[in-house]
Coordinates of all heavy atoms in Angstrom, one line a residue:
A12 N -3.1 5.2 -14.9 CA -4.5 5.5 -15.3 C -4.5 6.4 -16.5 O -5.6 6.5 -17.2 CB -5.2 6.1 -14.1
M13 N -3.4 7.2 -16.8 CA -3.4 8.1 -17.9 C -2.2 8.0 -18.7 O -1.7 8.9 -19.4 CB -3.6 9.5 -17.3 CG -2.5 10.0 -16.3 SD -2.8 11.6 -15.6 CE -3.8 11.2 -14.2
K14 N -1.6 6.8 -18.7 CA -0.2 6.6 -19.3 C -0.1 7.1 -20.7 O 0.8 7.8 -21.1 CB 0.2 5.1 -19.2 CG 1.6 4.8 -19.7 CD 1.9 3.3 -19.5 CE 3.3 3.0 -19.8 NZ 3.7 3.5 -21.2
S15 N -1.0 6.6 -21.6 CA -0.8 6.9 -23.0 C -0.9 8.4 -23.3 O -0.1 8.9 -24.1 CB -1.9 6.1 -23.9 OG -3.2 6.5 -23.5
D16 N -1.9 9.0 -22.7 CA -2.0 10.5 -22.9 C -0.9 11.3 -22.3 O -0.4 12.2 -22.8 CB -3.4 11.0 -22.3 CG -4.6 10.6 -23.2 OD1 -4.4 10.2 -24.3 OD2 -5.7 10.6 -22.6
M17 N -0.5 10.8 -21.1 CA 0.6 11.5 -20.4 C 1.9 11.4 -21.2 O 2.7 12.3 -21.4 CB 0.8 10.9 -19.0 CG 1.9 11.6 -18.2 SD 1.6 13.4 -17.9 CE 0.4 13.1 -16.5
D18 N 2.2 10.2 -21.7 CA 3.4 10.0 -22.5 C 3.4 10.8 -23.8 O 4.4 11.4 -24.2 CB 3.5 8.5 -22.9 CG 3.9 7.6 -21.7 OD1 4.2 8.1 -20.7 OD2 3.8 6.4 -21.9
A19 N 2.2 10.9 -24.4 CA 2.1 11.8 -25.6 C 2.3 13.3 -25.3 O 3.0 14.0 -26.0 CB 0.7 11.6 -26.2
S20 N 1.8 13.7 -24.1 CA 2.0 15.1 -23.7 C 3.5 15.4 -23.5 O 4.0 16.5 -23.9 CB 1.2 15.4 -22.4 OG -0.2 15.2 -22.7
I21 N 4.2 14.5 -22.8 CA 5.6 14.7 -22.5 C 6.4 14.7 -23.8 O 7.3 15.5 -24.0 CB 6.1 13.7 -21.5 CG1 5.4 13.9 -20.1 CG2 7.6 13.7 -21.4 CD1 5.7 12.9 -19.1
R22 N 6.1 13.7 -24.7 CA 6.8 13.5 -25.9 C 6.6 14.8 -26.8 O 7.6 15.2 -27.5 CB 6.3 12.3 -26.7 CG 7.1 11.9 -27.9 CD 6.8 10.5 -28.4 NE 5.3 10.3 -28.6 CZ 4.6 9.5 -27.8 NH1 5.1 8.9 -26.8 NH2 3.3 9.4 -28.1
A23 N 5.5 15.4 -26.8 CA 5.3 16.6 -27.6 C 6.2 17.7 -27.2 O 6.7 18.5 -28.1 CB 3.8 17.1 -27.5
V24 N 6.5 17.9 -25.9 CA 7.4 18.9 -25.5 C 8.8 18.6 -25.9 O 9.6 19.4 -26.4 CB 7.4 19.0 -23.9 CG1 8.4 20.0 -23.4 CG2 6.0 19.5 -23.5
I25 N 9.2 17.3 -25.7 CA 10.6 16.9 -26.1 C 10.8 17.0 -27.6 O 11.9 17.5 -28.0 CB 10.8 15.4 -25.6 CG1 10.8 15.3 -24.1 CG2 12.2 14.9 -26.1 CD1 10.8 13.9 -23.6
E26 N 9.8 16.7 -28.4 CA 10.0 16.7 -29.8 C 10.2 18.2 -30.3 O 10.9 18.4 -31.3 CB 8.8 16.1 -30.5 CG 8.9 14.5 -30.4 CD 7.6 13.9 -31.0 OE1 6.7 14.6 -31.3 OE2 7.6 12.6 -31.1
K27 N 9.5 19.1 -29.7 CA 9.6 20.5 -30.1 C 10.8 21.2 -29.3 O 11.2 22.3 -29.7 CB 8.3 21.3 -29.7 CG 7.2 21.0 -30.7 CD 6.0 22.0 -30.5 CE 4.9 21.8 -31.5 NZ 3.8 22.8 -31.3
A28 N 11.3 20.6 -28.3 CA 12.4 21.1 -27.5 C 12.1 22.5 -26.9 O 13.0 23.3 -26.8 CB 13.7 21.1 -28.3
N29 N 10.8 22.8 -26.6 CA 10.4 24.1 -26.1 C 10.3 24.0 -24.6 O 9.2 24.1 -24.0 CB 9.1 24.6 -26.7 CG 7.9 23.7 -26.5 OD1 8.1 22.5 -26.1 ND2 6.7 24.2 -26.7
F30 N 11.4 23.8 -23.9 CA 11.5 23.4 -22.5 C 11.2 24.5 -21.6 O 10.7 24.3 -20.4 CB 12.8 22.8 -22.2 CG 13.1 21.5 -23.0 CD1 14.2 21.5 -23.9 CD2 12.3 20.4 -22.9 CE1 14.4 20.4 -24.6 CE2 12.6 19.3 -23.6 CZ 13.7 19.3 -24.5
I31 N 11.4 25.8 -22.0 CA 11.1 26.9 -21.2 C 10.2 27.9 -21.9 O 10.3 28.2 -23.1 CB 12.4 27.7 -20.8 CG1 13.4 26.8 -20.1 CG2 12.1 29.0 -20.0 CD1 13.0 26.3 -18.8
H32 N 9.1 28.3 -21.2 CA 8.1 29.2 -21.8 C 7.4 28.6 -23.0 O 7.1 29.4 -24.0 CB 8.7 30.6 -22.1 CG 9.1 31.4 -20.9 ND1 8.2 31.5 -19.8 CD2 10.2 32.0 -20.6 CE1 8.8 32.3 -18.9 NE2 10.0 32.6 -19.3
G33 N 7.2 27.3 -23.1 CA 6.5 26.7 -24.2 C 5.0 27.1 -24.1 O 4.5 27.6 -23.0
E34 N 4.3 26.8 -25.2 CA 2.9 27.2 -25.2 C 2.0 26.5 -24.1 O 1.0 27.0 -23.7 CB 2.2 27.0 -26.6 CG 2.2 25.5 -27.0 CD 3.4 25.1 -27.9 OE1 4.4 25.8 -27.8 OE2 3.2 24.1 -28.6
Q35 N 2.5 25.4 -23.6 CA 1.8 24.6 -22.6 C 1.7 25.4 -21.3 O 0.7 25.3 -20.5 CB 2.4 23.3 -22.3 CG 2.2 22.3 -23.5 CD 3.3 22.3 -24.5 OE1 4.0 23.3 -24.6 NE2 3.5 21.2 -25.2
V36 N 2.7 26.3 -21.0 CA 2.7 27.1 -19.8 C 1.6 28.1 -19.9 O 0.8 28.3 -18.9 CB 4.1 27.8 -19.6 CG1 4.0 28.7 -18.4 CG2 5.2 26.7 -19.5
T37 N 1.5 28.8 -21.0 CA 0.4 29.8 -21.2 C -1.0 29.1 -21.1 O -1.9 29.7 -20.5 CB 0.6 30.5 -22.5 OG1 1.9 31.1 -22.5 CG2 -0.5 31.6 -22.7
E38 N -1.1 28.0 -21.8 CA -2.4 27.3 -21.8 C -2.8 26.9 -20.3 O -3.9 27.0 -19.9 CB -2.3 26.0 -22.6 CG -3.6 25.3 -22.7 CD -3.5 24.0 -23.5 OE1 -2.5 23.7 -24.2 OE2 -4.5 23.2 -23.4
L39 N -1.8 26.4 -19.6 CA -2.1 26.0 -18.2 C -2.5 27.2 -17.4 O -3.5 27.1 -16.6 CB -0.8 25.3 -17.6 CG -1.0 24.9 -16.1 CD1 -1.9 23.7 -16.0 CD2 0.4 24.6 -15.5
E40 N -1.8 28.3 -17.5 CA -2.2 29.5 -16.7 C -3.6 29.9 -17.0 O -4.4 30.3 -16.1 CB -1.2 30.6 -17.0 CG 0.2 30.3 -16.4 CD 1.2 31.4 -16.7 OE1 1.0 32.2 -17.6 OE2 2.2 31.5 -16.0
T41 N -4.0 29.9 -18.3 CA -5.3 30.3 -18.7 C -6.4 29.4 -18.1 O -7.4 29.8 -17.6 CB -5.4 30.3 -20.3 OG1 -4.4 31.2 -20.8 CG2 -6.8 30.7 -20.7
R42 N -6.1 28.1 -18.3 CA -7.1 27.1 -17.8 C -7.3 27.2 -16.3 O -8.4 27.1 -15.7 CB -6.7 25.7 -18.2 CG -6.9 25.4 -19.7 CD -6.6 24.0 -20.1 NE -7.6 23.1 -19.5 CZ -7.5 21.8 -19.6 NH1 -6.5 21.2 -20.3 NH2 -8.4 21.0 -19.0
L43 N -6.2 27.3 -15.5 CA -6.3 27.4 -14.1 C -7.0 28.6 -13.6 O -7.8 28.6 -12.7 CB -4.9 27.3 -13.5 CG -4.2 25.9 -13.6 CD1 -2.8 25.9 -12.9 CD2 -5.0 24.7 -13.2
A44 N -6.7 29.8 -14.3 CA -7.3 31.0 -13.9 C -8.8 30.9 -14.1 O -9.6 31.4 -13.3 CB -6.8 32.2 -14.7
E45 N -9.2 30.3 -15.2 CA -10.7 30.1 -15.5 C -11.3 29.2 -14.5 O -12.4 29.5 -14.0 CB -10.8 29.6 -16.9 CG -10.5 30.6 -18.0 CD -10.6 30.0 -19.4 OE1 -10.7 28.7 -19.5 OE2 -10.4 30.7 -20.4
Y46 N -10.6 28.1 -14.2 CA -11.2 27.2 -13.2 C -11.4 27.8 -11.8 O -12.4 27.7 -11.2 CB -10.3 26.0 -13.1 CG -10.6 25.0 -12.0 CD1 -11.7 24.1 -12.2 CD2 -9.9 24.9 -10.8 CE1 -12.1 23.2 -11.2 CE2 -10.2 24.0 -9.8 CZ -11.3 23.2 -10.0 OH -11.7 22.3 -9.0
V47 N -10.4 28.5 -11.4 CA -10.4 29.1 -10.1 C -11.4 30.3 -10.0 O -12.1 30.6 -9.0 CB -9.0 29.6 -9.6 CG1 -9.1 30.5 -8.4 CG2 -8.1 28.4 -9.3
G48 N -11.5 31.0 -11.1 CA -12.4 32.2 -11.2 C -11.7 33.5 -10.9 O -12.3 34.4 -10.3
V49 N -10.4 33.7 -11.3 CA -9.7 34.9 -11.2 C -9.1 35.4 -12.5 O -9.1 34.6 -13.5 CB -8.6 34.8 -10.1 CG1 -9.1 34.5 -8.8 CG2 -7.5 33.8 -10.6
K50 N -8.7 36.6 -12.6 CA -8.2 37.2 -13.9 C -6.8 36.6 -14.2 O -6.5 36.4 -15.4 CB -8.1 38.7 -13.8 CG -9.4 39.4 -13.8 CD -9.3 40.9 -13.6 CE -8.5 41.6 -14.8 NZ -8.5 43.0 -14.7
H51 N -5.9 36.4 -13.2 CA -4.5 36.1 -13.5 C -4.1 34.9 -12.7 O -4.3 34.7 -11.5 CB -3.6 37.3 -13.0 CG -4.0 38.6 -13.7 ND1 -3.6 38.9 -15.0 CD2 -4.6 39.7 -13.2 CE1 -4.1 40.1 -15.2 NE2 -4.7 40.6 -14.2
C52 N -3.4 34.0 -13.5 CA -2.6 32.9 -12.9 C -1.2 33.1 -13.4 O -1.0 33.1 -14.6 CB -3.2 31.6 -13.3 SG -2.1 30.2 -12.8
V53 N -0.2 33.2 -12.5 CA 1.2 33.3 -12.9 C 1.9 32.0 -12.3 O 2.0 31.9 -11.1 CB 1.8 34.5 -12.3 CG1 3.3 34.7 -12.8 CG2 1.0 35.8 -12.7
S54 N 2.4 31.2 -13.2 CA 3.1 30.0 -12.7 C 4.5 30.3 -12.3 O 5.1 31.3 -12.8 CB 3.1 28.9 -13.8 OG 3.7 29.4 -15.0

Side-chain angles (χ1 to χ4, degrees):
M13 57 184 90
K14 184 179 187 303
S15 59
D16 288 343
M17 182 65 76
D18 290 351
S20 297
I21 293 172
R22 188 165 54 248
V24 176
I25 295 172
E26 288 174 350
K27 285 191 176 182
N29 59 344
F30 301 114
I31 303 295
H32 290 313
E34 63 265 24
Q35 290 91 336
V36 176
T37 302
E38 181 184 351
L39 178 70
E40 291 178 342
T41 300
R42 288 185 65 183
L43 294 183
E45 290 175 351
Y46 172 76
V47 167
V49 298
K50 288 177 66 176
H51 303 284
C52 170
V53 183
S54 60

